[in-house]
């Protein structure tokens, strides 16, 4: 008989002000905490984190920048720091790369971790995996972890204050759950219960964003939270996380392959994972030869959610840079999940078609 292993976060709290529960959560996990995160994220949460830990009798040992990349070097450096400080719990704050680094550090030491996303750009806060890069930011691999976070605090008030482009990134990355899983299912039809569950969750992601994404993005443009934002935060973190967990990660296709290609270009590497995936979604639809009416409908949704529709919105690329991105995209492992082989010429044609249609949106 086959064995099944699913790794879920122990607790997920979402809502306005849930950061105020950090102290009580950490006190149940350990009395010595190491705070790791991005520079802006640390500035955003340092004061409430310190107050929460102090009130709960948890010692804040140090706060440390994660290093800028989820690389083996930074993971090893931070793990050694946590070991020297005798940390009992890791608190990770920031976006995807920061949280992926923190999760890897905690897993390496067997320590519990509490994740606090400060941007709603990916589902990294909930997933038991880390996307690793080399020190220059080039994609290396997707590394499964033996544990998920002990707790995830998704504070909608905190996330509403983040730059709107990061919510747009989260919307683009989460839309990919449906577009890509549907594409993967063409080659590998969903028959098992887990695959059917993942497919269903990916459709929930799409339906929630189609209904609430534009309103949530509009609210965040004004710096305010809203019921629509709460709905899409559930999609970005919970439903997208469940899509990944139930599929054991086997749900990515062309959109993520194209993102991986973008990481090989200096001009596009730091543009934002979900924004690049969001553009990749549109190219995926073109690669599937979907008709213009469907493409235009999905492009209109992407536009209303702040996702770029053209390469020009991402960076001014010359022919050589675009050729490098296309070459690396086609070579990326996720591209192999498409129902038909994708050549560099096919991908170039898909990008050109999306670019031409963007003028009509």
């Amino acid at each position: 008989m086959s064995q099944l292993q699913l790794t879920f976060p122990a607790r997920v709290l979402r809502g306005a002000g849930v950061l105020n529960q950090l102290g009580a959560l950490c006190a149940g996990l350990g009395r010595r905490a190491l705070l790791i995160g991005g520079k802006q994220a640390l500035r955003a949460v340092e004061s409430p984190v310190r107050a929460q830990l102090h009130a709960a009798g948890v010692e804040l040992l140090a706060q440390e920048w994660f290093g800028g990349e989820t690389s083996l070097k930074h993971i090893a450096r931070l793990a050694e720091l946590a070991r020297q400080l005798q940390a009992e719990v890791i608190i990770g704050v920031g976006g995807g790369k920061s949280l992926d680094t923190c999760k890897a550090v905690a897993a390496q030491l067997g320590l519990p971790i509490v994740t606090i996303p400060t941007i709603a750009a990916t589902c990294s806060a909930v997933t038991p995996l880390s996307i690793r890069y080399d020190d220059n930011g080039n994609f290396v691999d997707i590394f499964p972890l033996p544990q998920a976070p002990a707790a995830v605090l998704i504070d909608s008030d905190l996330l509403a204050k983040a730059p709107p482009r990061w919510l747009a990134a989260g919307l683009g990355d989460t839309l990919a759950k449906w577009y890509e899983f549907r594409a993967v299912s063409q080659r590998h039809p969903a028959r098992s219960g887990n695959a059917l569950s993942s497919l269903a969750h990916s459709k929930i992601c799409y339906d929630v964003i189609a209904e609430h994404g534009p309103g949530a993005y509009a609210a965040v443009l004004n710096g305010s939270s809203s019921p629509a934002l709460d709905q899409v935060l559930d999609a970005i973190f919970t439903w997208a996380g469940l899509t990944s967990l139930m599929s054991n990660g086997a749900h990515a296709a062309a959109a993520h392959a194209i993102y991986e290609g973008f990481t090989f270009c200096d001009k596009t590497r730091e543009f934002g994972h979900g924004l690049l995936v969001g553009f990749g979604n549109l190219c995926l639809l073109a690669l599937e030869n979907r008709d213009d009416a469907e493409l235009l409908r999905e492009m209109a949704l992407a536009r209303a959610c702040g996702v770029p529709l053209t390469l020009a919105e991402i960076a001014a690329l010359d022919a050589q840079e675009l050729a490098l991105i296309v070459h690396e995209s086609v070579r990326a492992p996720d591209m192999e999940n498409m129902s038909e082989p994708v050549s560099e010429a096919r991908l170039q044609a898909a990008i050109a078609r999306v670019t031409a249609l963007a003028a009509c949106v």
Side-chain angles (χ1 to χ4, degrees):
M1 296 178 65
S2 63
Q3 291 187 342
L4 172 66
Q5 179 174 329
L6 297 173
T7 307
F8 294 96
R11 298 185 68 181
V12 177
L13 288 74
R14 189 273 298 153
V18 297
L19 183 57
N20 295 326
Q21 299 185 48
L22 174 66
L25 282 169
C26 285
L29 298 171
R31 292 290 175 175
R32 298 170 60 82
L34 173 60
L35 175 64
I36 304 172
K39 292 179 179 179
Q40 292 183 350
L42 290 170
R43 286 194 292 268
V45 305
E46 177 186 5
S47 179
V49 166
R50 284 186 178 277
Q52 279 288 306
L53 296 182
H54 178 74
V58 177
E59 182 182 0
L60 179 58
L61 301 168
Q63 64 177 53
E64 184 75 11
W65 179 48
F66 81 98
E69 291 295 344
T70 308
S71 68
L72 294 176
K73 180 180 77 173
H74 289 306
I75 293 168
R77 172 181 64 84
L78 292 164
E80 180 58 28
L81 175 64
R83 189 179 292 108
Q84 290 177 358
L85 293 174
Q86 297 182 323
E88 296 175 356
V89 58
I90 304 295
I91 302 171
V93 301
K97 288 187 176 182
S98 174
L99 297 180
D100 278 1
T101 302
C102 295
K103 290 183 299 181
V105 170
Q108 184 167 318
L109 298 176
L111 296 177
I113 179 170
V114 177
T115 58
I116 306 170
T118 55
I119 57 175
T122 73
C123 62
S124 172
V126 305
T127 56
L129 57 83
S130 291
I131 301 175
R132 300 191 298 188
Y133 304 81
D134 65 22
D135 292 335
N136 295 319
N138 298 315
F139 172 80
V140 173
D141 64 11
I142 298 177
F143 184 67
L145 302 172
Q147 66 180 44
V152 184
L153 298 181
I154 304 166
D155 193 314
S156 51
D157 281 347
L158 176 65
L159 293 166
K161 298 172 185 175
R165 73 187 305 268
W166 295 120
L167 177 62
L171 295 170
D173 194 46
T174 306
L175 285 169
K177 295 295 189 273
W178 169 242
Y179 298 134
E180 290 193 300
F181 204 101
R182 180 177 60 176
V184 170
S185 297
Q186 296 299 310
R187 183 172 181 178
H188 305 288
R191 294 191 177 94
S192 71
N194 283 344
L196 290 169
S197 173
S198 190
L199 184 62
H201 282 116
S202 72
K203 187 59 165 58
I204 292 172
C205 289
Y206 176 85
D207 289 344
V208 169
I209 291 176
E211 181 174 354
H212 298 288
Y217 181 66
V220 171
L221 283 172
N222 294 318
S224 61
S225 186
S226 67
L229 178 60
D230 283 339
Q231 290 294 313
V232 301
L233 291 179
D234 286 343
I236 291 169
F237 293 106
T238 305
W239 308 126
L242 284 169
T243 300
S244 300
L245 288 168
M246 299 304 291
S247 68
N248 287 315
H251 61 278
H256 275 81
I258 291 168
Y259 157 73
E260 289 151 14
F262 275 121
T263 69
F264 286 85
C265 176
D266 292 340
K267 291 181 180 177
T268 56
R269 182 177 295 120
E270 300 300 329
F271 186 75
H273 172 96
L275 293 170
L276 296 172
V277 170
F279 175 75
N281 289 335
L282 306 175
C283 297
L284 181 154
L285 296 174
L287 287 169
E288 291 183 305
N289 296 315
R290 296 187 177 270
D291 62 34
D292 284 357
E294 181 175 356
L295 261 171
L296 288 168
R297 183 173 66 249
E298 302 309 313
M299 291 174 78
L301 174 60
R303 173 67 79 202
C305 291
V307 173
L309 305 189
T310 66
L311 287 173
E313 296 173 59
I314 299 170
L317 300 173
D318 60 32
Q320 185 175 0
E321 290 164 334
L322 177 57
L324 172 64
I325 291 167
V326 168
H327 176 72
E328 295 296 342
S329 299
V330 169
R331 292 177 65 242
D334 289 332
M335 194 65 86
E336 296 176 5
N337 290 328
M338 296 296 289
S339 60
E340 297 179 1
V342 177
S343 65
E344 293 183 27
R346 281 193 67 208
L347 182 52
Q348 288 273 14
I351 293 171
R353 183 182 171 204
V354 169
T355 301
L357 287 173
C360 304
V361 177

